Amino acid sequence: MGTTGAEQVEQAVAECVALLGTVTGRDWEGVRAGRLEWSCRRTAVHIAEDLIAYAGQLAGREQESYTPFDLVLEEGAGNADALRVIGTTGALLAAAIRTAPREVRAFHPYPFRSANREGFAAMGVAEVLLHTHDIAEGLELAYEPAPELCAFVLTRIFPHVGPGETPWRTLLWATGRGELPGRAPVTGWRWSNNAVIGTERLTLEGVTPAAAADLAAVGDGGFPWIEGGPMDGTRVGAGLVHKQYEEGLHLPEWGMYVLVRRADGRALGAMGFHGVPDGSGRVEVGYDLVGAARGHGYATEALRALSRWALGRPEVRTVVANVERGNTPSQNVLARAGFAQVAEDPEHLAYELREPGDG
């Protein structure tokens, strides 16, 4: 995919500072920032607070909570000084993103209690874009950020929001700041970093719409793959994920996960769900492993973890899988993971794994 998100942070900050730098002589303290309860001045300081907070989380590899510090501007600092701080904290976040290894995750509460470097980049860009909008609205300035910045945010941390007419209008609508034809107003919202599920040897990393689009288009999805990967099945699955996203039907935890080996950070294959659980609590799982990774128990280990995670959700009672009759290795994986064959037809065998005690 060719980006860590550092460049997007720098671009968003540069656009913010350039716009607001034209009005530093105006009263920011006495003007409300758009629909917020804060003043324009307080909102500008908040941008800097978020940028340095995200940099601290990522650089410090915080795992359990936010780093316990705060940012305070010196007494007498003016509006131009606030913009200098935004520029500096943006540079610190970009540096933290660039120096963090791809597999590093740090604490963020929503919704799965962690984010990777791309997630922190997207959150940082979102804070800059949205709060620059709020300040610009309060000061009656025209502001529309680069479409690619808005798309970067939407395809990383708003996977549950289908694309709208334009990326900027969609982002404003998704955060309760605007309207989109055919969609109800948003009154409460959260962004969503990708989910991860850990096993002894693997990390199952949730695939974002951005990664899915890249994989479907014969890219690597931002993952370093072992030789031979990704497989065709992974690319087909990624295409389905991206199609669901475009149709507004994608829920990130019920999408696709790339299997990453902890020992070397290399991707071995993919596993995931064909869609959300149905009304009876059934959800279908599928998987694909690079040839060089087969025979080591990776698929079984991942399937046990993903199935256990699914059955731990209140909306799931049964995990199902359908396998071609001639695919003996895949049938063996299902059996080792605890699945039982329940049906067959001339071409496929059907397997199920039920929650404990569900006869």
Side-chain angles (χ1 to χ4, degrees), residues 240-273:
L240 292 175
V241 168
H242 193 255
K243 183 174 184 292
Q244 290 172 346
Y245 166 69
E246 289 187 319
E247 294 174 348
L249 302 175
H250 178 57
L251 289 180
E253 61 266 43
W254 300 110
M256 188 171 78
Y257 297 76
V258 167
L259 314 184
V260 179
R261 187 164 53 195
R262 290 178 183 269
D264 59 4
R266 313 291 285 185
L268 310 175
M271 183 174 291
F273 304 102

Side-chain angles (χ1 to χ4, degrees), residues 24 26 31 34 57 71 113-114 133 148 150 168 178 236 337 351:
T24 54
R26 292 175 58 180
V31 177
Q57 292 301 102
L71 179 146
R113 295 186 61 80
S114 71
H133 162 78
E148 61 269 21
C150 307
W168 179 226
V236 171
Y351 286 77

